[in-house]
Amino acid sequence: MAEGHADVLADAKALGRQRAYEVPIEELNPARASAFRDDAHWAYFERLRAEDPVHYTPDSNYGAFWSITKYNDIVAVDSNHGAFSSASGITLNPKLSALPPEAQLRLARQGAPSFIGMDPPDHDVQRKTVSPAVAPARLHEMAPQIRERAGVILDSLPIGEPFDWVDLVSKELTTMTLATLFDFPFDERRKLTFWSDTMTTAPGHGPVATYQEQRDALADCRDYFIRLWNARVNAPPQGDLISLLAHGEATRNCTMDEYFSNITLLIIGGNDTTRNTISGSIFALNRFPDQYDKLRANPGLIPSMVAETIRWQTPLAHMSRVALEDVELGGKLIRKGDKVVMWYVSGNRDEEVIRDPDNYIIDRERPRQHMSFGFGIHRCVGNRLAELQLTIIWEEILKRFPEVRLLKEPKRSYSIFVKGYETMKVMIPSRT
């Protein structure tokens, strides 16, 4: 790891700790994109888990909300769709009053929800429509193609020269896979990356500078996918996601708003999470070199390393719900209509459930004991595909490279939702 990396990391944590502990607990607000960008969010959740695990923030840029920060409490909320609804949105969105007028108009005109933003029975039938695209039999068919593409990507990397791992590896592999799932024109696959980043990052902190540029980009995305719908709906049914939606009994008569909401969900879910976990594995193994040594000595640990990376990275920091009734949790009364935020990033570091949670341990006894995929009816539909891509890329990495060396602190995403990396400068000193 690059000289000075440990000092930078320590300074960021110290500053985050100071800010998290200097305010009265009742005023603490963990939803700060700048803290996630600076990797300085950990102390906020450490304090909440210890002092106020079911915590109310009465006012913020995202309005009022409850923070649920302990593992078992998160499971209780996530598993109880009868009391906690997804239909009002599954992420914290900025209050309209905190946004520029153009952004206020955009949010006010948001269309129909995707199936992750639905409750049963609508959620169940729509989720069932797209599930065949990531079913075990389909993943078995895709595995050789993913492996071939991973090999091509890795064999094209420079040796002995710095490069951006996020761009050349993480984005490329996940975008190739997503293009396959959509049967999207392969030579235009990076449009998917651009649209995904535009959807999940505030203007000025991602690929677009203004809300007008963001609106234009998403209009282009919508137009593109409507053209693909029109082509697939008039063709025989196939196994790609668009064809499944166009011909599915529960979705073939949906509005284009409903269709595009599902498309945005699938783009983000298929791109950001896996991409950031691939990058996170490089960061974690460099930060914990003893674990990298352990992996090189025993490649059979790849499956448990993958699960541990998904926990330790936690690529989506939170999901939210709205209470459908008064609910008592952790000695607090959550009122009907209250926004409730499940901080997966905190639950995955709950020391009462996960031993030594801040450390990255690739041979944990129960490595899949994590909440990065959620629980209950909204558990990530593509979780096995994510694990497959991570497993294959690391099998191919270990065949080729003794080391992938992190050169400097990565640039992280400015987001309270997607916990990821914008850039990650690395070097591969040699081939095996």
Side-chain angles (χ1 to χ4, degrees), residues 195-245:
W195 289 327
S196 180
D197 291 345
T198 299
M199 294 170 192
T200 58
T201 310
H205 298 281
V208 298
T210 68
Y211 283 98
Q212 181 61 51
E213 290 179 15
Q214 184 185 56
R215 186 165 65 177
D216 290 344
L218 296 186
D220 289 343
C221 178
R222 179 189 172 98
D223 290 345
Y224 199 113
F225 273 93
I226 287 176
R227 291 197 300 272
L228 292 179
W229 167 283
N230 290 335
R232 307 287 162 81
V233 77
N234 292 311
Q238 300 295 325
D240 64 273
L241 287 167
I242 300 172
S243 184
L244 290 171
L245 289 169

Side-chain angles (χ1 to χ4, degrees), residues 11-66:
D11 289 346
K13 284 196 168 184
L15 181 59
R17 180 170 297 278
Q18 176 185 335
R19 290 174 174 170
Y21 281 90
E22 68 186 2
V23 300
I25 188 69
E26 62 271 14
E27 298 177 15
L28 192 147
N29 172 20
R32 299 183 181 276
S34 59
F36 280 90
R37 178 199 59 199
D38 298 337
D39 200 35
H41 56 288
W42 301 108
Y44 288 92
F45 297 111
E46 174 189 275
R47 186 181 180 195
L48 287 177
R49 288 196 303 272
E51 299 180 27
D52 197 16
V54 180
H55 171 78
Y56 188 65
T57 298
D59 188 36
S60 75
N61 286 342
Y62 307 95
F65 62 93
W66 291 91

Side-chain angles (χ1 to χ4, degrees), residues 111-127:
S114 62
F115 64 82
I116 200 173
M118 296 178 179
D119 296 325
D122 293 338
H123 163 272
D124 300 347
V125 294
Q126 291 213 17
R127 178 184 170 107

Side-chain angles (χ1 to χ4, degrees), residues 185-196:
F186 201 69
D187 59 349
E188 296 188 86
R189 62 189 180 276
R190 279 298 181 113
K191 288 180 182 288
L192 297 169
T193 306
F194 171 74
W195 289 327
S196 180

Side-chain angles (χ1 to χ4, degrees), residues 107-395:
L107 284 179
R109 291 177 174 174
Q110 278 186 333
S114 62
F115 64 82
I116 200 173
M118 296 178 179
D119 296 325
D122 293 338
H123 163 272
D124 300 347
V125 294
Q126 291 213 17
R127 178 184 170 107
K128 185 178 180 181
T129 300
V130 301
S131 294
V134 288
R138 176 66 176 136
L139 298 187
H140 181 74
E141 294 174 359
M142 291 178 65
Q145 186 179 60
I146 294 172
R147 188 174 302 280
E148 179 182 2
R149 290 172 175 172
V152 170
I153 291 168
L154 296 174
D155 288 339
S156 69
L157 298 177
I159 303 299
E161 299 176 12
F163 67 93
D164 180 12
W165 182 268
V166 173
D167 184 48
L168 295 189
V169 181
S170 301
K171 286 184 178 180
E172 190 65 3
L173 181 64
T174 52
T175 305
M176 284 181 173
T177 303
L178 190 56
T180 300
L181 289 172
F182 282 130
D183 192 16
F184 191 89
F186 201 69
D187 59 349
E188 296 188 86
R189 62 189 180 276
R190 279 298 181 113
K191 288 180 182 288
L192 297 169
T193 306
F194 171 74
W195 289 327
S196 180
D197 291 345
T198 299
M199 294 170 192
T200 58
T201 310
H205 298 281
V208 298
T210 68
Y211 283 98
Q212 181 61 51
E213 290 179 15
Q214 184 185 56
R215 186 165 65 177
D216 290 344
L218 296 186
D220 289 343
C221 178
R222 179 189 172 98
D223 290 345
Y224 199 113
F225 273 93
I226 287 176
R227 291 197 300 272
L228 292 179
W229 167 283
N230 290 335
R232 307 287 162 81
V233 77
N234 292 311
Q238 300 295 325
D240 64 273
L241 287 167
I242 300 172
S243 184
L244 290 171
L245 289 169
H247 292 276
E249 183 176 352
T251 53
R252 64 191 178 199
N253 296 317
C254 68
T255 68
M256 287 298 96
D257 281 347
E258 293 169 329
Y259 163 64
F260 187 60
S261 292
N262 278 326
I263 289 298
T264 59
L265 166 66
L266 295 168
I267 289 175
I268 295 169
N271 178 52
D272 278 300
T273 52
T274 306
R275 168 179 117 194
N276 288 311
T277 310
I278 292 173
S279 298
S281 65
I282 294 294
F283 180 77
L285 289 168
N286 274 267
R287 184 172 168 193
F288 296 88
D290 60 320
Q291 300 301 302
Y292 207 167
D293 291 341
K294 192 184 297 183
L295 182 66
R296 282 187 288 251
N298 181 10
L301 289 173
I302 289 175
S304 63
M305 181 274 289
V306 164
E308 173 69 346
T309 303
I310 293 168
R311 178 198 72 85
W312 192 84
Q313 176 61 31
T314 315
L316 293 182
H318 80 268
M319 287 282 182
S320 70
R321 302 286 186 263
V322 170
L324 295 175
E325 58 192 45
D326 290 357
V327 179
E328 184 175 333
L329 184 67
K332 303 289 184 71
L333 180 61
I334 298 172
R335 298 283 187 182
K336 178 180 179 179
D338 285 355
K339 175 77 79 172
V340 179
V341 180
M342 303 173 290
W343 290 104
Y344 295 152
V345 67
S346 177
N348 275 336
R349 301 296 178 99
D350 186 350
E351 55 282 339
E352 292 186 4
V353 175
I354 299 171
R355 179 181 61 85
D356 199 9
D358 291 332
N359 280 326
Y360 179 74
I361 304 169
I362 68 169
D363 54 354
R364 284 187 181 274
E365 184 177 349
R366 299 177 63 193
R368 297 187 72 179
Q369 184 185 26
H370 64 76
M371 51 182 40
S372 297
F373 293 132
F375 291 90
I377 64 170
H378 291 293
R379 182 170 171 81
C380 176
V381 69
N383 62 326
R384 296 298 188 219
L385 176 59
E387 292 173 338
L388 178 65
Q389 290 181 85
L390 283 154
T391 298
I392 288 175
I393 194 69
W394 270 101
E395 288 172 348

